[in-house]
Amino acid sequence: MVTTTISRCASSQLLFSSSHSISRLLPFQVSPNNGGGRRMQGASGGGILKCMAVESASSVAQAKSKSNASEIQTLTGWLLKQEQAGVIDAELTIVLSSISMACKQIASLVQRASISNLTGVQGAINIQGEDQKKLDVVSNEVFSNCLRSSGRTGIIASEEEDVPVAVEESYSGNYIVVFDPLDGSSNIDAAVSTGSIFGIYSPNDECLADVGDEGTVMEQRCIVNVCQPGDNLLAAGYCMYSSSIIFVVTIGTGVFAFTLDPMYGEFVLTQENIQIPKAGKFYSFVEGNYQLWDDKLKKYIDDLNDPCPSGKPYSARYIGSLVGDFHRTLLYGGIYGYPRDKKSKNGKLRLLYECAPVSFIVEQAGGKGSDGHQRVLEIQPTEIHQRLPLYIGSQEEVEKVEKYLA
């Protein structure tokens, strides 16, 4: 007689039928049946294989959840604590809360994209000269509507919009919010990581729509007010839509990560004061453009792949989504780079709503963001959709590439 023991049943439903509800694990036996074959026999003597782990696993999870309920800190609760401590004001709390709400809605849209026929291109081309995905358009509307309805936003500037927009509905607090509503949308059809990126600048009254203002005059005022260096950022963050929905934010006092808990429908604090390693062994570059790079950058990449003198080459990791690649780099260290090349003389990433926000985040985590020669946060934008080469990650790794490019 052969005896085997069931260790766990991972499913939340019974895997095998049973005439009894069993709440503990019992061994089962395999014994010959009357027909000369083999059958599963429970320790209680029954002739049917019974799965006993489901109820106990579920009850353990629920008990653990209840015991930790008092320890859970939601994004809303965390923001209120920052407000009470005087780190941010009530208006910025509302703006960040409205952004988190937009991220929840976009996360749901991303997860249901194939079901809701939101994959594929919209049929239009945005200001960047890129084909707009259906979700690009919808995500931009969601982000814009949430910021407008907050009543605390004065200007919004999006990757998908030609020019910044003055929000007439604002009645208190005129924060400037720049954002990429759906970074990496080319990955949507393959269900690969995507994300949203945002940055928040100080309130400014100069761009509010006044009666009698000419549209072009107001538009120029908006552009001037939005074009601020990253050093002026009050807050920045991103939301990654992947196996988990992760909201990462900084308000200038460190980097904090919140994970969307489907049980509560809330972002829950999961990582505090994230610090990027000083160095790493991972690099993330679009190596398909290698032949278009200048010789200095080629030399840098060649040396990363040379096992001497460390004895082990760097490992390449590339998703094709800035949020996904940056999040991995933030946690594990290394460097992410999107350099200029012969086709894209100024690089491809946008300074205002991609490079500056992630550079603010990485510096708060002890890392560095550079265009290859200077800090990204020191660069004064001259236009809304200005592009920039970007090298970001562990401090030692970014400084290394700067030396090669000098």
Side-chain angles (χ1 to χ4, degrees):
M1 181 179 296
V2 180
T3 304
T4 311
T5 304
I6 297 177
S7 59
R8 294 281 180 190
C9 285
S11 173
S12 61
Q13 298 179 345
L14 290 176
L15 302 181
F16 301 94
S17 61
S18 171
S19 57
H20 302 286
S21 175
I22 305 174
S23 61
R24 60 190 181 88
L25 298 180
L26 294 173
F28 68 87
Q29 298 175 330
V30 181
S31 59
N33 60 21
N34 294 335
R38 302 170 73 84
R39 66 176 181 173
M40 303 294 186
Q41 185 175 37
S44 61
I48 302 174
L49 176 64
K50 300 174 182 179
C51 180
M52 311 88 173
V54 179
E55 290 187 9
S56 58
S58 177
S59 59
V60 168
Q62 291 178 4
K64 185 176 180 181
S65 204
K66 290 178 181 178
S67 65
N68 291 338
S70 60
E71 302 173 10
I72 289 176
Q73 186 170 5
T74 65
L75 175 61
T76 302
W78 182 82
L79 287 172
L80 290 174
K81 283 188 176 181
Q82 307 310 307
E83 181 187 332
Q84 291 169 357
V87 180
I88 58 177
D89 60 22
E91 313 301 334
L92 186 54
T93 298
I94 294 173
V95 173
L96 286 167
S97 294
S98 69
I99 290 174
S100 72
M101 178 59 68
C103 291
K104 289 179 186 178
Q105 294 181 41
I106 294 172
S108 178
L109 290 169
V110 168
Q111 290 174 334
R112 292 181 52 81
S114 297
I115 301 171
S116 304
N117 193 30
L118 287 174
T119 57
V121 296
Q122 175 78 6
I125 297 177
N126 65 13
I127 187 63
Q128 317 295 331
E130 302 165 340
D131 289 328
Q132 283 185 313
K133 297 283 186 177
K134 294 177 182 178
L135 267 178
D136 283 326
V137 177
V138 177
S139 298
N140 186 63
E141 291 178 0
V142 168
F143 230 98
S144 298
N145 290 340
C146 284
L147 288 170
R148 288 173 184 274
S149 63
S150 74
R152 268 70 178 181
T153 308
I155 312 170
I156 57 176
S158 166
E159 178 186 14
E160 303 300 328
E161 301 286 351
D162 294 1
V163 295
V165 179
V167 182
E168 299 179 37
E169 293 90 334
S170 292
Y171 59 86
S172 176
N174 302 308
Y175 285 96
I176 299 167
V177 182
V178 296
F179 59 91
D180 181 351
L182 193 60
D183 166 71
S185 58
S186 60
N187 287 324
I188 283 290
D189 294 2
V192 179
S193 300
T194 54
S196 301
I197 309 171
F198 66 89
I200 304 174
Y201 290 93
S202 298
N204 197 306
D205 296 328
E206 295 182 18
C207 188
L208 292 180
D210 296 324
V211 177
D213 263 358
E214 294 292 336
T216 54
V217 174
M218 186 177 70
E219 180 180 307
Q220 290 172 354
R221 289 180 183 176
C222 288
I223 292 174
V224 169
N225 285 284
V226 168
C227 287
Q228 300 185 45
D231 270 333
N232 290 0
L233 281 165
L234 297 177
Y238 60 85
C239 188
M240 184 174 70
Y241 314 117
S242 186
S243 56
S244 295
I245 312 303
I246 300 176
F247 187 89
V248 177
V249 65
T250 179
I251 52 176
T253 57
V255 180
F256 298 81
F258 299 80
T259 302
L260 185 62
D261 186 339
M263 181 182 296
Y264 297 99
E266 293 280 354
F267 282 108
V268 175
L269 181 64
T270 47
Q271 289 176 287
E272 300 183 65
N273 294 309
I274 297 173
Q275 289 292 300
I276 186 173
K278 293 296 182 184
K281 291 298 181 182
F282 299 102
Y283 73 95
S284 183
F285 282 69
V286 192
E287 289 189 272
N289 294 333
Y290 179 88
Q291 297 300 331
L292 301 176
W293 294 339
D294 63 38
D295 292 338
K296 292 180 179 179
L297 186 59
K298 288 181 181 179
K299 172 63 175 170
Y300 168 74
I301 293 295
D302 291 342
D303 286 350
L304 291 185
N305 287 287
D306 186 352
C308 298
S310 65
K312 186 178 180 181
Y314 279 56
S315 297
R317 298 284 187 274
Y318 188 71
I319 297 171
S321 162
L322 173 58
V323 169
D325 283 310
F326 175 71
H327 186 70
R328 183 196 57 251
T329 303
L330 182 66
L331 298 183
Y332 301 155
I335 185 170
Y336 169 89
Y338 207 122
R340 61 167 53 94
D341 56 45
K342 293 178 181 177
K343 289 195 303 183
S344 304
K345 301 294 185 181
N346 298 316
K348 290 198 68 175
L349 298 179
R350 271 66 58 157
L351 170 58
L352 268 175
Y353 37 80
E354 290 177 323
C355 300
V358 294
S359 294
F360 184 42
I361 294 168
V362 82
E363 286 198 7
Q364 286 293 314
K368 189 173 183 178
S370 170
D371 69 347
H373 303 283
Q374 64 175 320
R375 283 178 69 228
V376 169
L377 298 184
E378 294 177 350
I379 299 173
Q380 173 67 51
T382 56
E383 56 184 79
I384 298 299
H385 302 292
Q386 181 175 337
R387 296 176 187 265
L388 193 77
L390 179 65
Y391 303 92
I392 192 167
S394 299
Q395 182 175 342
E396 292 181 10
E397 302 301 335
V398 175
E399 290 175 351
K400 183 188 298 183
V401 75
E402 286 180 326
K403 290 178 181 177
Y404 275 82
L405 297 176

